[in-house]
Amino acid sequence: MLVFSTVAPAVAPAPNRTDIAFFAGYVARRRGVPLPEAVLDELEAQGWRHGPWGRSETVLQSALQLPITVESWDAFDALFAWEARPLRASGGARCATYLGAAVRSFFANGGRRAVIVRAGDPWPYIETAKRRADLRRDRIRAIVPDFADVAAAPFDPFTPNTWRGLYHLYGLPDATIVVLPDLADACAAMPVPPLTTKVPPIPPEGFVECSEDEPAPEPDLGLTRVAAPRADSVGYAAWRLAAADVRQFLVRHRRDCYFVGALPLPDRDNRRPADDGPVYAESDLVPYLRRVGVLEDEGVHVAPVSTAASAFIQLAWPWIATRRSSDLPERLEPADGLLAGVIAQSALARGTFRAVAGTPLQDVVGATPFPDWGLGADSPTAKLAERVCLIAREPDGWTLVSDVTTSPDAAWRPGGVSRLVASVLRAARRLGESLVFEANGPLLWTRLERAMEELLTDYWREGGLRGETSSDAFEVRCNRSTMTQNDIDAGRLVAEVTLAPAASIERIVIVLAVEAGNAASVQLRAVA
């Protein structure tokens, strides 16, 4: 018997592409399914197979803490047992993993390429409070190694065989969107007891017309009676620290990337949600957002090192029920995978700087808590939408009604501005790295100016920069006004780019520094 299988060809790296998502989280490898040759070839090219940090064949096939690229949901499904997370340690019923659900939503909403780093097998969903508390730090640190103790896991860019979770992003120049779907669950308190369900009354007998084309009824997995993970005060503190650690890593090592996350569901005193009605009032969310550092509060001061307010962070809210989420507890999933897919699709179709607010979300059928969108500019939900990418129901259906970062600076608040600057940084850094070994002098300065001007002219023509002429939209300087004589003598090239994003109220300044023998570095600031 002959069996034919289609093998996707290896895709050449595209450093200027801005739609590729990086996922790190917990999922099991599918047994009996070897990694395709295309994946092994990519690992070989990255040095994971026979290079200086090569892994054994057993470790390679486990895909543990290795970057695995997938081009479709089917490719992910073939390699990872995303649907086999046990509800209890004793076995029995199973549910989907949050990593699997996020990747599924990413591809369903337009994503085309993702890099998966498997941090380990998923833990049982329902476990004792002590076990969950004891293992919380280890579980988070497998995806965010800096969490809670930076000295315990120092990042060494020259020793890839020590990389875990987020650290792999350093060696993936293609990736732009960072998604950590298990972070909220890892920070959550012990799942609350199963929800009680009321038995519906038996309808009276009557004539029912037969239908041959009706789809089979959806199997009842019992997951509607299992609550989604919710964070108590300790869990929110852990989430805030982890988000701040992600931000710090991006600031130091990957300024051309941004974190797309999901706020954990709040759970005051770890009480079981009510059976009927909304689980939480919208007014309850504001104190929680202040506690995680997304909103300011005169009475609560969050240290800058532990805040989630940043132009590098976009957060999705609330948790959503989709046409595919029936295999998750309470049929809810965090919306980070969906938001990442919407952003990726827009980057491919319209440009990375376009706002994605107003995008209809056909897959969404419900949300918890139910947002009270449309009650006025002073409503808690309207305030929430100023800092969080909000999903709400409008007359035409569920919609992404805001596209913002959590930055306290209004210039960096629009999501399109943050993504535009990330895209320019990526192109500028790539250009700078190609000039590292060139002789520092007027010819090189002119060459860099012209290359950056051509790049920014393309952004201006596409509507990413405002101004009647290109000179209104941006300015590139690379001459003695941007460098001292000491810089020139040391072989250090410094270029300054000032641009006016179309959605920003201020201008953004990018400083590109190229030093002989070293990687290019960038600095950012907003000016009035």
Side-chain angles (χ1 to χ4, degrees):
M1 184 176 87
L2 295 177
V3 178
F4 295 92
S5 60
T6 302
V7 179
V11 179
N16 289 339
R17 188 172 171 179
T18 58
D19 67 295
I20 300 173
F22 169 87
F23 290 84
Y26 290 87
V27 66
R29 269 282 278 132
R30 200 169 292 285
R31 293 183 179 180
V33 180
L35 294 178
E37 284 301 320
V39 172
L40 292 174
D41 290 343
E42 189 169 9
L43 293 175
E44 172 84 36
Q46 295 172 352
W48 294 112
R49 196 173 188 185
H50 296 119
W53 44 85
R55 305 290 178 87
S56 67
E57 190 65 22
T58 300
V59 174
L60 282 176
Q61 290 298 332
S62 72
L64 183 64
Q65 293 292 355
L66 290 172
I68 305 297
T69 301
V70 294
E71 304 284 343
S72 66
W73 166 248
D74 289 340
F76 177 85
D77 178 39
L79 297 178
F80 298 99
W82 57 273
E83 76 288 6
R85 181 184 183 183
L87 278 178
R88 294 176 174 81
S90 58
R94 294 178 178 269
C95 63
T97 60
Y98 287 113
L99 174 63
V103 174
R104 179 173 61 188
S105 287
F106 172 75
F107 283 112
N109 286 275
R112 298 289 182 84
R113 193 179 196 202
V115 182
I116 314 297
V117 171
R118 187 175 85 87
D121 292 337
W123 58 87
Y125 184 73
I126 299 175
E127 56 188 357
T128 65
K130 184 179 186 307
R131 178 173 176 80
R132 179 171 282 260
D134 289 345
L135 296 178
R136 173 180 284 159
R137 188 178 74 164
D138 292 339
R139 288 170 176 171
I140 298 175
R141 288 188 63 196
I143 52 180
V144 186
D146 287 345
F147 175 72
D149 189 356
V150 176
F155 173 65
D156 184 355
F158 303 107
T159 314
N161 57 348
T162 65
W163 294 354
R164 303 178 69 201
L166 183 66
Y167 285 173
H168 281 279
L169 188 66
Y170 186 83
L172 299 169
D174 292 11
T176 303
I177 309 169
V178 180
V179 190
L180 308 175
D182 292 296
L183 188 56
D185 187 20
C187 295
M190 182 183 70
V192 294
L195 302 175
T196 59
T197 56
K198 298 178 181 179
V199 179
I202 300 176
E205 293 185 4
F207 176 77
V208 178
E209 183 178 355
C210 296
S211 175
E212 297 180 357
D213 298 326
E214 281 293 320
E218 189 177 84
D220 183 8
L221 303 177
L223 295 176
T224 56
R225 298 185 293 276
V226 180
R230 286 169 166 80
D232 55 11
S233 58
V234 176
Y236 262 101
W239 183 89
R240 183 182 70 238
L241 288 174
D245 289 334
V246 173
R247 175 180 61 85
Q248 285 294 331
F249 182 86
L250 297 182
V251 168
R252 293 170 182 168
H253 304 292
R254 288 299 305 271
R255 282 178 171 264
D256 56 336
C257 296
Y258 48 92
F259 172 43
V260 173
L263 281 168
L265 286 170
D267 183 19
R268 295 172 298 178
D269 302 327
N270 200 28
R271 290 187 298 216
R272 181 177 62 80
D275 298 334
D276 299 313
V279 178
Y280 297 100
E282 283 292 302
S283 59
D284 293 338
L285 297 176
V286 175
Y288 282 102
L289 293 176
R290 287 171 176 160
R291 286 164 63 183
V292 299
V294 173
L295 296 178
E296 297 88 355
D297 181 31
E298 294 79 3
V300 179
H301 298 284
V302 179
V305 296
S306 62
T307 181
S310 171
F312 295 92
I313 297 178
Q314 287 195 265
L315 299 177
W317 181 262
W319 283 43
I320 54 175
T322 70
R323 302 182 190 280
R324 300 173 176 82
S325 63
S326 60
D327 51 5
L328 290 166
E330 210 174 329
R331 299 192 175 188
L332 293 175
E333 64 176 280
D336 46 4
L338 178 144
L339 178 59
V342 170
I343 291 173
Q345 193 278 334
S346 178
L348 288 170
R350 305 188 302 141
T352 189
F353 53 84
R354 303 287 186 188
V356 295
T359 302
L361 306 174
Q362 304 294 338
D363 283 342
V364 178
V365 296
T368 297
F370 195 92
D372 59 356
W373 183 249
L375 297 183
D378 295 329
S379 70
T381 301
K383 296 293 184 183
L384 184 71
E386 295 177 1
R387 297 294 182 87
V388 176
C389 298
L390 182 70
I391 295 171
R393 186 170 181 82
E394 294 197 314
D396 294 335
W398 289 91
T399 305
L400 180 65
V401 297
S402 61
D403 175 19
V404 293
T405 72
T406 60
S407 175
D409 188 339
W412 294 99
R413 193 80 50 76
V417 169
S418 180
R419 297 191 294 271
L420 167 68
V421 174
S423 176
V424 173
L425 287 179
R426 175 182 295 266
R429 175 173 291 171
R430 178 169 168 77
L431 177 61
E433 289 174 349
S434 69
L435 304 176
V436 164
F437 299 104
E438 298 289 337
N440 193 2
L443 290 178
L444 179 62
W445 304 344
T446 302
R447 177 181 169 188
L448 178 60
E449 279 187 350
R450 296 293 179 267
M452 286 301 304
E453 286 172 352
E454 290 178 3
L455 171 70
L456 294 174
T457 298
D458 290 339
Y459 281 104
W460 171 68
R461 288 172 176 167
E462 291 296 323
L465 302 176
R466 69 176 184 269
E468 293 184 1
T469 65
S470 60
S471 59
D472 297 330
F474 63 85
E475 179 186 6
V476 181
R477 292 190 300 122
C478 183
N479 48 46
R480 289 186 177 273
S481 69
T482 62
M483 291 171 281
T484 66
Q485 187 60 45
N486 288 337
D487 290 330
I488 297 173
D489 294 340
R492 180 178 172 84
L493 181 150
V494 180
E496 185 174 284
V497 179
T498 304
L499 52 86
S504 178
I505 62 174
E506 300 183 62
R507 299 176 75 86
I508 307 297
V509 177
I510 300 174
V511 178
L512 172 66
V514 182
E515 192 167 356
N518 294 320
S521 62
V522 291
Q523 296 178 356
L524 300 171
R525 67 176 184 270
V527 296

